[in-house]
Amino acid sequence: MSWYKIYRFPLLVIISWVIFFLFLFLNLKNATVISLARKDIHIQKKSSGTYGKFSFTLNISDVQKKNDYSRSFKNFCLSNLFFNLEKIEKADSIYLAISADQFSVIKQNKRLYYITDHRPNTLEKIAQIISYTINNQTLYLAIPLVLTFVFCADEFKKDYGYINNLHKKLSNTSYVLIGIFILLITIY
């Protein structure tokens, strides 16, 4: 039973990171970049109910009303360093990374991973997909994190007794990884 006590916390932290990277990989794989002329689309920014005054939703639709693209953004986060709505509105053409939303009843609704006024480089693509994953799939990312806190509540107590040096080292590494994960969700 001591192996369970030693490896439970690190394994749940690793599962949280694996789920994050799985969503990131799937979003990168599903993203298709398209280019549209600015005159052929309508861009609408509105307050979002997701985070209240701390977020907004960007809705983009083409002139023929065949496709709708939408995404939630947080107002105060690092991912907005790559997003400039004013430049996008003034651009002649825009680039969208989209994917069909398999869960939508209306098949014309597409997931909007990101929007730019120029063809994005690899770093921008990855940063925008991380932003999409954190902003729009937070619930899926939070489930393993919450389970980690529930099943490993003892590890967060001040007077927690470690079994051996390996247990202490693994727990300390797990604290750092879970802290980075929470920080990433918070500021990104």
Side-chain angles (χ1 to χ4, degrees):
M1 194 62 161
S2 65
W3 68 268
Y4 172 74
K5 191 170 182 178
I6 292 174
Y7 297 113
R8 173 184 60 186
F9 183 45
L11 282 176
L12 286 171
V13 171
I14 289 170
I15 288 170
S16 297
W17 276 98
V18 166
I19 288 173
F20 171 70
F21 284 119
L22 177 70
F23 274 99
L24 198 63
F25 173 75
L26 290 174
N27 290 336
L28 278 168
K29 183 179 166 285
N30 291 333
T32 303
V33 177
I34 62 171
S35 176
L36 298 171
R38 176 62 186 94
K39 62 180 173 53
D40 294 337
I41 61 168
H42 298 288
I43 298 176
Q44 180 185 17
K45 178 182 173 182
K46 64 180 183 178
S47 294
S48 174
T50 308
Y51 298 104
K53 65 180 178 181
F54 300 109
S55 69
F56 62 92
T57 300
L58 193 66
N59 293 320
I60 299 170
S61 58
D62 56 13
V63 176
Q64 293 85 18
K65 300 285 184 192
K66 290 184 180 177
N67 294 304
D68 293 322
Y69 314 102
S70 65
R71 177 183 164 190
S72 295
F73 289 90
K74 293 179 188 172
N75 283 331
F76 310 107
C77 59
L78 285 178
S79 60
N80 289 345
L81 294 174
F82 294 103
F83 178 71
N84 189 342
L85 188 57
E86 293 171 4
K87 284 176 75 174
I88 292 168
E89 288 175 336
K90 293 176 184 176
D92 293 332
S93 63
I94 61 167
Y95 294 87
L96 304 169
I98 59 163
S99 173
D101 193 351
Q102 296 85 7
F103 303 111
S104 177
V105 177
I106 305 168
K107 290 301 175 193
Q108 288 85 6
N109 287 351
K110 309 275 194 247
R111 290 185 188 174
L112 174 64
Y113 291 117
Y114 58 84
I115 179 173
T116 63
D117 61 333
H118 60 281
R119 182 164 289 282
N121 61 33
T122 305
L123 178 63
E124 283 180 299
K125 286 179 188 176
I126 292 171
Q128 291 287 4
I129 295 293
I130 290 171
S131 170
Y132 173 83
T133 304
I134 290 173
N135 286 326
N136 295 282
Q137 297 171 330
T138 306
L139 182 62
Y140 301 119
L141 300 176
I143 289 171
L145 196 59
V146 169
L147 290 176
T148 301
F149 289 127
V150 169
F151 291 127
C152 302
D154 293 341
E155 275 84 349
F156 294 99
K157 292 181 180 173
K158 203 175 216 180
D159 57 345
Y160 179 71
Y162 297 102
I163 295 173
N164 55 27
N165 200 22
L166 173 66
H167 184 211
K168 185 174 183 172
K169 192 180 293 186
L170 288 174
S171 291
N172 288 340
T173 304
S174 297
Y175 290 135
V176 170
L177 288 175
I178 208 164
I180 292 170
F181 192 74
I182 292 170
L183 184 66
L184 183 67
I185 289 174
T186 304
I187 66 172
Y188 213 89

